[in-house]
Amino acid sequence: MSKEKLNQEELNQIIAKFKHFFKNEIVKNHIKNTEKLVSLKEFNLNPFLDVYKAVYLSGKSDAKSIAKALVYPRVLGTSINTSFGQQLQKYCSEI
């Protein structure tokens, strides 16, 4: 098996394709999924833990802190990691 090195132009093309992929697949889907969170129906509320998580996160139990404790895990949690992994597999097979 020969090991050919890519030239700079080929590397630049791969980087440009990945930037396009990341912007148009990963970011676009992440925004779309985040926008789904405008409804309380999207959350499994736990009145025993939601206030605790808010206080743990911010030291406060006001509405904004509770909202952050509910939204942050959804926006920054496993779903973006799963989506990224699936989309990256698709990207690699296409490239």
Side-chain angles (χ1 to χ4, degrees):
M1 176 184 253
S2 68
K3 294 183 180 180
E4 296 180 30
K5 290 188 176 184
L6 299 173
N7 64 41
Q8 192 61 45
E9 183 179 334
E10 291 169 323
L11 290 173
N12 289 341
Q13 288 176 355
I14 291 170
I15 291 169
K17 287 178 182 178
F18 187 78
K19 285 180 181 180
H20 178 78
F21 156 77
F22 197 86
K23 179 181 177 186
N24 292 299
E25 296 292 329
I26 302 300
V27 174
K28 187 189 257 184
N29 286 333
H30 195 201
I31 290 169
K32 184 176 93 180
N33 289 332
T34 301
E35 289 173 343
K36 290 179 187 177
L37 300 177
V38 297
S39 170
L40 280 178
K41 289 185 262 181
E42 296 296 321
F43 296 94
N44 295 321
L45 300 176
N46 184 328
F48 297 105
L49 290 178
D50 294 336
V51 173
Y52 165 76
K53 290 186 285 186
V55 173
Y56 188 83
L57 175 68
S58 66
K60 298 183 250 178
S61 62
D62 61 340
K64 187 173 184 178
S65 297
I66 294 170
K68 286 180 182 179
L70 292 170
V71 172
Y72 284 1
R74 298 288 295 275
V75 174
L76 302 173
T78 57
S79 67
I80 183 61
N81 293 327
T82 302
S83 296
F84 178 76
Q86 291 171 340
Q87 293 294 331
L88 187 58
Q89 288 176 355
K90 177 183 168 190
Y91 169 79
C92 289
S93 67
E94 291 174 1
I95 298 299

